[in-house]
Amino acid sequence: MSRLSSIALLLAALCLCAVAWAHGAQQNGKPGAQPAAPAAPAEPDRTGLVKVADGRMLAPDIARIVNHGELVVAMLATDNPPFFANKNGDLVGTDIDLAKLISRELGVSLRFDRSYKTFDSVVEAVALGKADVAVSRLGRTLKRAQMVHFSISYIKLGHALLINRIRFAELAGDRPLPQVVRDYNGTMGVLAGSSWVEFGRRNFPKAKLVTYPTWPELVEAAKKGEVTVVYRDEMEVVQLLREDPGLALTLRTVTFSDLEAPLSVIVGIRDLTLLSFINELIAQRAVQPTADSVLRVIK
């Protein structure tokens, strides 16, 4: 082979190497190479739903309960018949029935957490995520509205005063009862940690509020004249005098047609689909209980 032929072969080999290098640079994204077309991005999930074990697609707050397998309901430790009470080892009452209905429609088991000593602490349990909901004879207040959601009301209770006859007469003098009540400035007993503390402060701004830890202690305070009036819902006051008619000798009642205490299920601030679900469940109940209908049942 001549010298010129050898040089030509060498040049051809160098050209082939250059072509191979350029092709590799293009594949590796090196400068001077044409970039490969980017892969199409995956389509994002726009539903916000969560797939649970049985294949259903649910809102995250509902899915949390379903995946957990139980609905945790916060409830006051002290019995409040006819709403909730322990009877022969079983929890019974209108609030118990409602909680059972919610868990049944969600398809999960039910667990009551009754470790709470005040109504406010029941609400706080839901606000802090210790329970899914609270069903515990809970009224709506502005204080509670800052940390939880209220369902639509499942029953409405009227407001009432339980009055010590002697103490009230001393306070009223010759003034008619409506005038004294409207501008009441005497002592008023209310249940500590309950909605009635806020109701008393708002509806009777001149009253001297005195809190008691339990309802029996409130009643006893009224009987002894430690407070002139006790402020609570009409159902509790009517039930008290029905069970012990002799109290009418020392106590009397005043009810208000223009004041109501709607009771609601309490739901956490992030659980908006759960709230909507419970609202619809309450609205669709075949029988909507009232204070009168519940009192007739327990008569």
Side-chain angles (χ1 to χ4, degrees):
M1 179 180 297
S2 67
R3 183 179 179 83
L4 290 175
S5 297
S6 298
I7 294 173
L9 288 173
L10 180 60
L11 291 173
L14 290 172
C15 288
L16 288 173
C17 289
V19 170
W21 178 86
H23 179 71
Q26 181 177 352
Q27 293 297 317
N28 294 325
K30 292 181 179 180
Q34 293 295 324
E43 184 68 21
D45 180 7
R46 302 183 186 278
T47 66
L49 300 177
V50 176
K51 189 174 184 179
V52 296
D54 61 9
R56 287 180 295 162
M57 300 295 288
L58 302 174
D61 49 348
I62 303 290
R64 181 194 74 231
I65 297 170
V66 171
N67 285 333
H68 189 217
E70 70 174 2
L71 179 73
V72 181
V73 178
M75 182 171 279
L76 191 71
T78 306
D79 286 353
N80 271 243
F83 297 95
F84 50 92
N86 192 311
K87 186 175 182 181
N88 299 323
D90 294 323
L91 282 173
V92 297
T94 55
D95 284 11
I96 303 299
D97 293 340
L98 178 55
K100 287 180 177 178
L101 180 59
I102 296 171
S103 68
R104 184 165 64 247
E105 291 294 336
L106 288 174
V108 297
S109 62
L110 177 62
R111 177 166 64 88
F112 290 100
D113 180 359
R114 301 194 66 192
S115 61
Y116 306 101
K117 305 302 182 183
T118 68
F119 289 102
D120 280 348
S121 64
V122 174
V123 175
E124 290 166 3
V126 176
L128 296 174
K130 297 179 180 179
D132 297 309
V133 300
V135 191
S136 188
R137 194 181 186 170
L138 295 167
R140 307 175 189 178
T141 69
L142 295 177
K143 174 186 174 183
R144 295 171 181 174
Q146 298 175 64
M147 56 182 172
V148 295
H149 290 300
F150 305 123
S151 74
I152 61 175
S153 65
Y154 58 87
I155 192 171
K156 295 179 180 179
L157 306 178
H159 291 212
L161 295 178
L162 184 66
I163 299 174
N164 180 290
R165 291 179 180 273
I166 295 176
R167 290 286 182 266
F168 193 84
E170 293 172 349
L171 176 70
D174 296 331
R175 294 178 297 164
L177 183 144
Q179 179 183 342
V180 180
V181 169
R182 186 167 53 248
D183 200 35
Y184 184 72
N185 61 0
T187 54
M188 174 176 285
V190 289
L191 192 61
S194 75
S195 56
W196 297 96
V197 177
E198 183 170 320
F199 294 156
R201 186 172 62 248
R202 185 188 312 151
N203 297 324
F204 298 95
K206 296 180 181 179
K208 303 173 183 66
L209 297 186
V210 184
T211 59
Y212 289 82
T214 67
W215 174 238
E217 289 174 276
L218 265 175
V219 174
E220 194 63 25
K223 288 164 60 177
K224 293 179 178 179
E226 293 176 5
V227 292
T228 303
V229 304
V230 167
Y231 190 28
R232 208 177 179 190
D233 64 78
E234 181 180 3
M235 178 180 288
E236 196 69 61
V237 171
V238 169
Q239 190 176 348
L240 172 71
L241 294 180
R242 176 180 290 175
E243 293 173 352
D244 187 358
L247 289 177
L249 296 174
T250 56
L251 303 175
R252 64 167 298 181
T253 64
V254 170
T255 60
F256 300 89
S257 59
D258 58 341
L259 292 174
E260 285 186 329
L263 302 187
S264 296
V265 177
I266 300 297
V267 177
I269 58 171
R270 293 186 177 88
D271 293 348
L272 295 178
T273 304
L274 178 61
L275 175 66
S276 177
F277 167 80
I278 291 174
N279 283 343
E280 194 62 27
L281 180 147
I282 292 172
Q284 289 189 20
R285 285 193 300 176
V287 178
Q288 300 292 340
T290 64
D292 288 340
S293 68
V294 172
L295 280 172
R296 283 196 298 271
V297 170
I298 64 175
K299 186 175 180 180

